[in-house]
Amino acid sequence: MRSYATRHAGDGQTKLLIDPGHNRTRLGGPDAPLDPRESIPAVVDVLEAQAGAPGLQFLDRRGETVPW
């Protein structure tokens, strides 16, 4: 993603990587602490809040920066 963002740095597009957290899905398993019905609306809120922000960001479902 960093390479892609570097190659397209001047396009003015928003580029986001989102960590939705450990959700109860087939991948996350039945013991995961988050229900997707709760975490996905938070992810959508982050997407909407970041719309139009240029560059690349790696954020969690609360909109906080995730360290690379």
Side-chain angles (χ1 to χ4, degrees):
M1 190 62 185
R2 284 181 171 177
S3 295
Y4 178 87
T6 299
R7 287 192 312 272
H8 299 277
D11 66 6
Q13 297 294 309
T14 302
K15 296 165 191 72
L16 294 174
L17 295 172
I18 303 284
D19 173 7
H22 189 189
N23 281 268
R24 285 186 297 273
T25 62
R26 278 198 237 160
L27 180 63
D31 297 326
L34 298 171
D35 184 320
R37 289 173 289 203
E38 298 169 3
S39 63
I40 296 308
V43 169
V44 171
D45 289 344
V46 171
L47 292 172
E48 289 177 342
Q50 296 299 320
L56 171 64
Q57 296 184 77
F58 185 13
L59 305 173
D60 66 15
R61 69 184 180 284
R62 294 177 298 272
E64 298 175 10
T65 299
V66 176
W68 294 87

